[in-house]
Amino acid sequence: EAGVAQSPRYKIIEKRQSVAFWCNPISGHATLYWYQQILGQGPKLLIQFQNNGVVDDSQLPKDRFSAERLKGVDSTLKIQPAKLEDSAVYLCASSLGHSSGNTIYFGEGSWLTVV
Amino acid sequence: GENVGLHLPTLSVQEGDNSIINCAYSNSASDYFIWYKQESGKGPQFIIDIRSNMDKRQGQRVTVLLNKTVKHLSLQIAATQPGDSAVYFCAEKEIKLIFGQGTELSVKP
C-alpha cells in the first residue's frame, strides 16, 4: 500500500515569496492533516480536513497560510508571503476517519527554509 | 491547557538493554494515545497506540503503559537495537492529535 506522498521534499525561498506544498493521502483516507514541525519540537496541527471540508483550522495563520482539498483527495498548502519563522518541516498525514482509534499516517514531509 | 510533554529530552542505552521512554499528558479527556518514532529526515512513523479503556498494550518488542490516575504514558522497547535510535513522540487525542516535545533515544553498540 502506498503511503502519504508529499512534494517538493525541499524548498528554499526568500522571505516575502510564496510557496506551495502538495499532498496525496493514502487511498481511501477521508481525513487529511497538515502539521508544522519546527526543528527540535513536536508537530503542530495547522489544519484538518474531512473529505473536502475543514474540521479544524484554529492554528492556521490565515493571514498568510491557506489550504484546500477541493475534490476530497489531494491537498495543497500555500504560504504567501513567507516569513523567516515559517522555516520548518510541513508534514501531511491521513487517516481513514477522524475519530479516535483511526491510525494517523505521516508523509516524509516538505522541508522549507526561508532566507 | 494542552500539554503533552516528556520527562527527558535524551536517553542513551546500551544495545540489548531495555529502554523506557516516559510521557506526561494534561488533558484527562484524551481517549487515545499514540507513540511515534521519527528518524532524521523522515516523517513520524506509527509504533503503537492505546485507548483510554486499556492500561497496557503489547506489540513486537514494544509495550505501551497508560496510567490515567497520574496521566502518564510510557513506551518500553525490549532488547534495544541500533535501528531504534530516533526521536520518540507521544501524542494524545481527544478531538485533535497533540504531540509532545520528543525524546531522543541513542543506542550504544
Side-chain angles (χ1 to χ4, degrees):
Chain A
E1 178 182 271
V4 177
Q6 292 189 244
S7 68
R9 286 297 318 275
Y10 305 96
K11 191 75 176 179
I12 301 174
I13 62 173
E14 295 182 348
K15 58 184 179 182
R16 292 186 288 275
Q17 286 187 325
S18 63
V19 63
F21 301 114
W22 173 83
C23 173
N24 185 22
I26 294 173
S27 178
H29 281 195
T31 309
L32 184 147
Y33 315 78
W34 282 103
Y35 280 81
Q36 179 194 58
Q37 186 175 24
I38 293 172
L39 187 66
Q41 299 183 15
K44 183 185 80 172
L45 180 68
L46 292 175
I47 188 167
Q48 177 179 335
F49 292 95
Q50 180 68 18
N51 297 308
N52 62 351
V54 175
V55 173
D56 186 328
D57 64 356
S58 58
Q59 300 277 67
L60 188 74
K62 298 181 187 62
D63 58 333
R64 299 183 300 105
F65 286 65
S66 64
E68 58 183 17
R69 194 185 184 200
L70 295 176
K71 296 183 179 179
V73 180
D74 294 4
S75 178
T76 303
L77 175 70
K78 296 180 182 177
I79 308 174
Q80 181 180 9
K83 292 185 175 182
L84 295 177
E85 59 260 36
D86 298 332
S87 295
V89 181
Y90 291 87
L91 295 161
C92 181
S94 70
S95 61
L96 280 171
H98 61 85
S99 59
S100 292
N102 282 293
T103 304
I104 300 173
Y105 297 94
F106 284 81
E108 298 287 46
S110 293
W111 295 67
L112 175 65
T113 301
V114 182
V115 298
Chain B
E2 297 170 343
N3 180 26
V4 179
L6 292 156
H7 294 310
L8 295 172
T10 61
L11 177 66
S12 184
V13 301
Q14 203 70 38
E15 181 178 359
D17 288 351
N18 296 333
S19 303
I20 300 176
I21 301 173
N22 295 304
C23 176
Y25 65 94
S26 60
N27 184 3
S28 56
S30 291
D31 61 359
Y32 182 52
F33 304 87
I34 312 172
W35 280 101
Y36 284 93
K37 172 186 180 183
Q38 188 172 27
E39 296 174 283
S40 181
K42 296 187 175 182
Q45 177 189 359
F46 172 88
I47 300 174
I48 192 168
D49 59 0
I50 188 168
R51 290 179 176 269
S52 59
N53 61 352
M54 303 172 68
D55 53 20
K56 180 179 180 179
R57 192 166 187 218
Q58 288 184 294
Q60 187 177 14
R61 283 201 307 119
V62 294
T63 300
V64 56
L65 299 177
L66 175 63
N67 185 331
K68 294 182 288 294
T69 303
V70 295
K71 290 185 284 189
H72 183 269
L73 193 68
S74 69
L75 177 70
Q76 300 178 1
I77 305 173
T80 313
Q81 302 168 0
D84 294 327
S85 295
V87 177
Y88 289 80
F89 291 97
C90 65
E92 63 172 324
K93 187 172 188 287
E94 179 196 2
I95 297 171
K96 58 186 179 183
L97 192 66
I98 306 295
F99 282 80
Q101 291 300 306
T103 291
E104 183 174 8
L105 176 66
S106 298
V107 182
K108 296 176 287 186

